[in-house]
Amino acid sequence: MQQSPVPPEPPIYRRIADGLRRAILSSELRDGDRLPGENALMAQYGIARATARQALSVLINEGLAVPKRGSGVYVRQFRPIRRHGSRRLSREQWGQGQAIWESDTTGRSYTVDNVTIDREIAGDPVARVLNSAEVWIRRRRYSVDGRPVQLSVSHFPAVLVENTAITRHDTGPGGVYARLGDLGHAPAHFSEEIRARMPHPHETVQLDLPAGTPVIVIGRVAYTEGGVPVEVNEMILDAASYVLQYDFDS
């Protein structure tokens, strides 16, 4: 009986990368730990610098490690945020004064920074959806456990939200959706579109993305009970930091 051929042994750089990956996934090496550098790998395995660099590049390309110029390569093992599409937007959430992000983070610490609020001329797509030539725009960045994970840009019809808390830094309990409810325009229906792409340069900087990390782009429109659109929001998510969950009946 003819024996099946024995598969060739993986190249040495791949075996080194496999060992480091196991150490990361078993939590022997934790988020933020420095991986052995090229010199250390060369000495330990008797390999050339190019081979050591290949081994580390495997983990960088997989999103498990991130290089820091002049410092080394570090573990990037972040517990993903579970973004529950319908639960986070339910009226029970913001209607009781809770922030949407409390649903996403489930007790983990989060911060909002880089907040800017401006009245601007609406771009064509937003103007058509909101039927408004001018909009108030809220731009902000969200971080979880100290790591930037999302950029968000919300547009509101200027006349609708003029001189309200939506145009101020602190929107109060429940956020902008609760304030729209105070105005008699509570969101009752949401439509989201999701796509993936590589990040633009400014997104890479603001989200501190390792090379090769894609982003998830979510476009959302909020509608009142009568079908009037009251918000257009574009969110840019670090794809390596999220699990998107949607529950629905058949």
Side-chain angles (χ1 to χ4, degrees):
M1 181 177 179
Q2 189 176 6
Q3 293 183 336
S4 300
V6 178
E9 189 174 26
I12 182 64
Y13 81 88
R14 178 67 65 177
R15 282 179 274 150
I16 295 170
D18 290 345
L20 292 172
R21 186 190 304 104
R22 285 193 295 271
I24 293 171
L25 297 180
S26 68
S27 297
E28 180 182 341
L29 288 170
R30 298 180 179 274
D31 186 51
D33 285 351
R34 188 178 184 275
L35 292 175
E38 293 176 8
N39 290 338
L41 293 177
M42 291 165 60
Q44 181 177 354
Y45 295 98
I47 55 177
R49 184 174 300 278
T51 303
R53 188 170 297 142
Q54 274 186 297
L56 294 172
S57 294
V58 169
L59 301 176
I60 293 169
N61 292 334
E62 291 177 354
L64 291 175
V66 57
K68 296 184 180 180
R69 186 181 297 275
S71 178
V73 178
Y74 292 81
V75 175
R76 190 178 193 268
Q77 184 71 346
F78 182 71
R79 180 160 60 92
I81 302 160
R82 184 167 294 275
R83 183 185 187 276
H84 194 290
S86 56
R87 184 185 304 153
R88 68 193 304 271
L89 294 173
S90 69
R91 190 186 295 258
E92 293 180 0
Q93 183 77 18
W94 51 264
Q96 296 179 7
Q98 298 181 51
I100 288 175
W101 271 76
E102 292 178 19
S103 173
D104 290 348
T105 55
T106 57
R108 298 165 70 180
S109 63
Y110 72 93
T111 57
V112 186
D113 65 2
N114 293 2
V115 179
T116 63
I117 307 166
D118 302 287
R119 180 168 176 155
E120 299 180 13
I121 302 298
D124 286 344
V126 171
R128 285 196 302 270
V129 172
L130 295 179
N131 192 28
S132 179
E134 294 190 56
V135 290
W136 277 96
I137 302 179
R138 298 181 59 90
R139 297 179 175 89
R140 62 267 191 213
R141 179 178 68 172
Y142 294 92
S143 298
V144 174
D145 296 340
R147 175 167 293 168
V149 294
Q150 179 182 313
L151 306 175
S152 187
V153 182
S154 293
H155 307 75
F156 304 90
V159 173
L160 177 65
V161 302
E162 195 75 53
N163 298 320
T164 71
I166 292 174
T167 65
R168 298 194 289 270
H169 190 284
D170 184 2
T171 57
V176 295
Y177 292 153
R179 302 294 76 76
L180 287 169
D182 296 341
L183 296 171
H185 296 278
H189 174 72
F190 298 92
S191 177
E192 288 192 345
E193 294 184 347
I194 301 173
R195 59 190 176 93
R197 60 168 169 79
M198 297 309 295
H200 298 154
H202 74 279
E203 295 164 350
T204 297
V205 172
Q206 291 186 69
L207 292 174
D208 192 22
L209 297 174
T213 304
V215 292
I216 300 169
V217 182
I218 301 179
R220 181 173 71 226
V221 182
Y223 298 89
T224 66
E225 189 69 48
V228 177
V230 289
E231 181 208 30
V232 172
N233 190 355
E234 182 179 70
M235 293 151 280
I236 309 297
L237 285 61
D238 172 5
S241 296
Y242 275 88
V243 172
L244 307 184
Q245 179 179 345
Y246 294 88
D247 297 331
F248 46 86
D249 296 328
S250 62

